[in-house]
Amino acid sequence: MSTEPTDHPTSVVGAAGRGIPGATVARLPIYHRVLGGLAERGIVTVASAQLAVASGVTSAQLRKDLSRLGSYGTRGVGYPVGHLRYEIARELGLTQDWRVLIVGVGNLGHALANYPGFASRGFRVAALVDANPALVGSYVGIAGHQLPVRPVRELADAAADSDANIAVIATPAVSAQPVCDRLVAAGIRSILNFAPVALSVPADVEVRMVDLAVELQILSFHEQRRAQNCPAGQVVGA
Amino acid sequence: MSTEPTDHPTSVVGAAGRGIPGATVARLPIYHRVLGGLAERGIVTVASAQLAVASGVTSAQLRKDLSRLGSYGTRGVGYPVGHLRYEIARELGLTQDWRVLIVGVGNLGHALANYPGFASRGFRVAALVDANPALVGSYVGIAGHQLPVRPVRELADAAADSDANIAVIATPAVSAQPVCDRLVAAGIRSILNFAPVALSVPADVEVRMVDLAVELQILSFHEQRRAQNCPAGQVVGA
DNA sequence: TAGATTGTTAATCGATTAACAATC
DNA sequence: TAGATTGTTAATCGATTAACAATC
């Protein structure tokens, strides 16, 4: 019964048939990153209390999350940093090679193509595409891994040549849906969308959206609320 | 009792003492953006069912969220697009002017300074700071609103001169905490962090973090799972 | 009046927390 | 053995959903 691959709404069935809640999946990258920092500092073992503080969660939450992956800790001792990090990477699919096609090489696409945090976590920028003729043919990317910008009409070829399995949309909002349609037609089934529009896709395609302004708007909400709670004219800081 | 400003864990007390759950606050920017699209197309009234589909939520969820702001819909008719959008903007604090200080004008900081989605939603880039002498003194920004890059030693002055009330950290990971400490000392209490490290701040400072790789990692999880569920060798798409 | 749609209630569902037995 | 810490249980908490009375 517990190994039955159900269609449980917010949980996802893993390799061994374990259902991992979406809330836990969203925290695994955080633990993965924090464990990387500990490993760099030569730390070999970590207790749930320490790892939890560094991750911004409670130790109960951390242990509950980790217990879904398996039993990698040792009672009375803690968790092995390297091994736990590997198991999280494996669960997230970071032990395989991801080839990313970036569509839209404006300011944001350029920044993403150069972002060291992608490569360091196993995401290789495999192809670049843009609609602007002035950009097409230029080379973009981190030193030692430069790529030519290809015209948008070659999108399907670029996807096929690079064998991309994830696409990033970094175009203006108006181009995002047409680009998305072409990506889907080209066989891409995982899309990260930075354009501030919701995309419609077939059910077997996964789209995640990052709206850079949304976090600023949420911050605005909290800052405004703080200003309202304190009477005007208060001192602004230390 | 219901107007008492409690310290309820995940809800936030609004102007009129209403507690708005964090989950609702996180969706308000989405509704705000979708309503903007409807307004552009000249749509004056919208039913919860339509707005919900465009926002990717259920109509029950949408009505429940909106009911926390007040009673702006008309039974049998729907919601007034312009007015509802205004009320959401007011709740989010978007009716006031936000001045943003960007620290780190590398690829990402450059992209953020040029991002039209900030200005269009009421966030004005007010000052730029970088540690790289080669960048200091250069002008960056959208045409008609260019700003000089100031040296990081002038961070406090830049914050004061521009009267910034939000800061964005777009530096490498190692610089993020020291920069954060200086921002807090300069009186900034709302920080959006793009560096992939957790920042420690006093309790009265609000930090939100955007790790550009996290969404890619979550996408990786789902893509991997899909590949595992389908036997190898399947056709890749239409 | 008849049809449509909101705002709200009550039930369901999932996620978090605290506590502790298991065990290193 | 004594101390520490995990993995799990049961209780709590919050968020979502379905249904419908209110009402335009």
Side-chain angles (χ1 to χ4, degrees):
Chain A
M1 187 66 170
S2 73
T3 56
E4 181 192 328
T6 62
D7 266 326
H8 219 288
T10 60
S11 81
V12 181
V13 178
R18 287 166 277 115
I20 300 188
T24 294
V25 173
R27 284 187 292 266
L28 291 180
I30 300 170
Y31 305 149
H32 183 255
R33 189 185 64 226
V34 171
L35 287 165
L38 296 175
E40 270 179 19
R41 289 154 54 195
I43 294 168
V44 174
T45 301
V46 67
S48 62
Q50 304 168 262
L51 187 50
V53 168
S55 303
V57 298
T58 65
S59 65
Q61 170 123 247
L62 182 107
R63 289 198 302 278
K64 176 128 248 203
D65 282 340
L66 295 184
S67 73
R68 316 223 187 236
L69 308 192
S71 208
Y72 302 117
T74 305
R75 288 159 138 105
V77 178
Y79 295 92
V81 171
H83 181 225
L84 179 59
R85 183 160 198 256
Y86 170 78
E87 291 295 344
I88 292 174
R90 197 159 67 98
E91 193 67 42
L92 285 172
L94 303 179
T95 51
Q96 70 174 266
D97 198 40
W98 293 103
R99 294 169 299 281
V100 180
L101 164 66
I102 297 180
V103 186
V105 195
N107 281 299
L108 183 59
H110 208 274
L112 296 172
N114 284 290
Y115 185 57
F118 283 171
S120 74
R121 279 172 279 195
F123 297 95
R124 189 162 63 77
V125 178
L128 302 171
V129 163
D130 200 287
N132 181 357
L135 276 172
V136 169
S138 65
Y139 279 72
V140 170
I142 23 186
H145 187 65
Q146 303 241 307
L147 287 168
V149 177
R150 298 181 63 171
V152 75
R153 83 181 123 77
E154 291 177 17
L155 185 148
D157 285 340
D161 297 349
S162 63
D163 198 21
N165 38 25
I166 289 182
V168 171
I169 297 179
T171 66
V174 287
S175 315
Q177 184 64 59
V179 160
C180 175
D181 294 341
R182 298 187 58 187
L183 288 168
V184 171
I188 298 286
R189 288 174 307 166
S190 295
I191 297 173
L192 181 57
N193 175 33
F194 282 95
V197 271
L199 298 176
S200 68
V201 290
D204 69 326
V205 175
E206 170 102 7
V207 176
R208 295 192 66 87
M209 179 168 167
V210 177
D211 184 336
L212 296 174
V214 160
E215 292 296 315
L216 222 38
Q217 288 170 295
I218 297 173
L219 210 48
S220 159
F221 174 85
H222 290 286
E223 170 74 22
Q224 173 199 233
R225 182 183 148 267
R226 173 165 41 207
Q228 280 167 355
N229 280 5
C230 315
Q234 83 281 25
V235 183
V236 284
Chain B
M1 186 67 171
S2 74
T3 55
E4 181 191 328
T6 62
D7 266 326
H8 218 287
T10 61
S11 80
V12 181
V13 179
R18 288 167 274 115
I20 299 188
T24 294
V25 172
R27 283 187 294 265
L28 291 181
I30 300 170
Y31 305 148
H32 182 256
R33 189 184 64 226
V34 171
L35 287 166
L38 296 176
E40 271 179 17
R41 288 155 53 195
I43 294 169
V44 174
T45 303
V46 67
S48 62
Q50 305 168 261
L51 188 51
V53 168
S55 303
V57 300
T58 66
S59 65
Q61 170 124 248
L62 182 106
R63 288 197 302 277
K64 176 127 248 201
D65 282 342
L66 295 184
S67 74
R68 314 220 189 239
L69 309 192
S71 207
Y72 302 118
T74 304
R75 288 159 137 107
V77 178
Y79 296 93
V81 171
H83 183 225
L84 179 60
R85 183 161 197 257
Y86 170 77
E87 291 295 343
I88 293 174
R90 197 159 67 101
E91 193 67 41
L92 286 171
L94 304 179
T95 51
Q96 71 175 266
D97 198 43
W98 293 103
R99 293 168 300 279
V100 180
L101 164 66
I102 298 180
V103 185
V105 194
N107 281 299
L108 182 59
H110 208 274
L112 295 173
N114 285 289
Y115 185 56
F118 282 173
S120 75
R121 280 172 278 195
F123 296 95
R124 189 162 63 77
V125 178
L128 302 170
V129 163
D130 200 288
N132 181 356
L135 275 173
V136 169
S138 66
Y139 278 73
V140 171
I142 22 184
H145 187 67
Q146 303 242 305
L147 286 168
V149 178
R150 299 180 62 170
V152 75
R153 84 181 122 76
E154 292 177 14
L155 186 147
D157 286 339
D161 297 348
S162 63
D163 197 21
N165 38 25
I166 290 183
V168 171
I169 297 179
T171 66
V174 287
S175 315
Q177 185 65 58
V179 159
C180 175
D181 294 342
R182 297 186 58 187
L183 288 169
V184 171
I188 299 285
R189 288 172 308 167
S190 295
I191 296 172
L192 181 56
N193 176 32
F194 283 94
V197 272
L199 298 176
S200 69
V201 290
D204 69 327
V205 175
E206 170 99 8
V207 175
R208 295 193 66 87
M209 179 167 167
V210 177
D211 185 335
L212 294 175
V214 159
E215 292 297 314
L216 223 39
Q217 288 171 294
I218 296 174
L219 211 47
S220 160
F221 173 84
H222 291 285
E223 170 75 23
Q224 173 199 232
R225 181 184 150 268
R226 173 166 40 206
Q228 279 166 356
N229 281 5
C230 315
Q234 82 281 24
V235 183
V236 284

